[in-house]
Amino acid sequence: MGTPFISLLEPTKLDGYDRGKPHDQQPASIPRVFMDAMEVRESVFVREQSVPLEFEHDGDDARSLHWVVYASVNQVVAQERRDAAGNVVQPRRSSTRTQPIGTVRLVPFPHPPHPERGGRYVDNLLQNEAELASSLTASQEARVSAAQPYGRDRPTTLHDGLEPYVKIGRLAVVKEFRGHRIAGQLWAAARAWLENNQDYFNPSVQELGLDALKAGVNDVPRWNGLVGVHAQEDVVPVWERWGFQVDEGMGRWWEEGIPHVGMFLRLKLKDKPITIS
Ligand SMILES: CC(C)(COP(=O)(O)OP(=O)(O)OC[C@H]1O[C@@H](n2cnc3c(N)ncnc32)[C@H](O)[C@@H]1OP(=O)(O)O)[C@@H](O)C(=O)NCCC(=O)NCCS
């Protein structure tokens, strides 16, 4: 494997993405980096962890940032051939392909409420809610999930239910490439981006107006370094290595049959220089 490199895709329209089809059968308008992120997610979550393909892409993908790690991988395309006397008649041939091998996404606030303790979620919906939502089309559902209003959530151990937080997720590294700090590089890239773009998601009152934000002038949400993750229970030690802590008050729930817990980390934001106008 050659030296990996990372690409970043900022929030972008993904209109026309068909959740029922794999990444290589999507319209040409879908950005390459997103297709590559889906290639990894299909390999890890759909094929390895048996998450249904149609649940893998969701309404948060368009408003999220996506990082994808690529590696140059040498592949044998034709084996060496020898004649009866043992002479090489065709040498082994190989070619180098740039392959997406890992991905992670960062979802801006606001978010749907914290999952219910013991809840069983399928395609982001608590199972009894899923019956109510079954009348929505996929695109209506995507819009609903992407447009949660700002509001109070239930307080947990590490989140007061009000503070805006960004959510890191869909962390995946293709099986053959694990154990080489690829996930660590993805988190380092996302973390560095957050430290350098701390105001990126803060809504602008001038642009949106208070009505759209559903907030008073003194409580326009501002990000203060809080990062959350819905972690698969088996992977908690990975997030702990990076400083995330399990939120005991959030409890445990199931997403597509996989047990999850909530974790948070607070990044220290840079002090901003005071400007005098
Ligand atoms: C979790 C996953 C992304 C880790 O990818 P990776 O590239 O192998 O991870 P890294 O090599 O960067 O490891 C990061 C750290 O976690 C540790 N680690 C990795 N996998 C671990 C595991 N399963 N249990 C405990 N520690 C683990 C590593 O030792 C490393 O620690 P170090 O830096 O102190 O040595 C990968 O195993 C994966 O894709 N799993 C399936 C999908 C998944 O579960 N995603 C998480 C959803 S919340």
Side-chain angles (χ1 to χ4, degrees), residues 3 7 21 30 32 34 41 71 89 103 111 117 124 126-127 137 145 164 190 192 203 217 222-223 231 234-235 241 264:
T3 310
S7 289
K21 292 184 178 161
I30 304 296
R32 182 75 249 165
F34 187 71
R41 283 162 48 174
V89 290
T103 190
H111 304 286
R117 272 178 180 277
N124 295 329
L126 193 57
Q127 281 208 293
T137 64
S145 131
V217 75
R222 291 193 69 74
W223 185 62
D234 285 352
V235 183
R241 276 182 156 81
F264 283 99

Side-chain angles (χ1 to χ4, degrees), residues 120-185:
R120 292 191 178 261
Y121 289 78
V122 172
D123 196 17
N124 295 329
L125 289 170
L126 193 57
Q127 281 208 293
N128 52 7
E129 285 173 10
E131 284 166 27
L132 293 172
S134 60
S135 56
L136 296 181
T137 64
S139 64
Q140 281 169 329
E141 216 178 275
R143 277 201 297 279
V144 171
S145 131
Q148 301 289 330
Y150 293 103
R152 187 180 283 273
D153 203 343
R154 73 177 162 99
T156 61
T157 312
L158 300 174
H159 182 232
D160 64 5
L162 277 175
E163 183 180 342
Y165 64 95
V166 295
K167 194 160 90 180
I168 193 105
R170 296 295 204 272
L171 173 68
V173 173
V174 173
K175 204 168 187 176
E176 306 84 281
F177 296 92
R178 292 189 191 147
H180 297 283
R181 299 247 166 89
I182 300 296
Q185 288 186 45

Side-chain angles (χ1 to χ4, degrees), residues 32-52:
R32 182 75 249 165
V33 175
F34 187 71
M35 302 276 212
D36 295 338
M38 290 306 290
E39 179 176 332
V40 174
R41 283 162 48 174
E42 283 166 18
S43 160
V44 173
F45 297 119
V46 178
R47 289 197 287 284
E48 192 184 330
Q49 297 191 342
S50 305
V51 172

Side-chain angles (χ1 to χ4, degrees), residues 53-65:
L53 173 68
E54 62 271 29
F55 300 167
E56 189 37 47
H57 164 65
D58 69 10
D60 279 336
D61 275 325
R63 67 187 188 117
S64 296
L65 289 100

Side-chain angles (χ1 to χ4, degrees), residues 20 22 30 55 57 67 69-70 88 107 110 133 136 149 154 194 209 214-215 235 253:
I30 304 296
F55 300 167
H57 164 65
W67 285 264
V69 186
Y70 297 85
V88 175
V107 189
L136 296 181
R154 73 177 162 99
L194 279 168
K214 296 191 172 56
V235 183
W253 66 95

Side-chain angles (χ1 to χ4, degrees), residues 8-26:
L8 165 63
L9 177 71
E10 295 200 11
T12 184
K13 280 194 162 115
L14 298 171
D15 295 352
Y17 197 98
D18 181 345
R19 323 167 77 197
K21 292 184 178 161
H23 68 280
D24 49 3
Q25 291 173 32
Q26 301 295 334

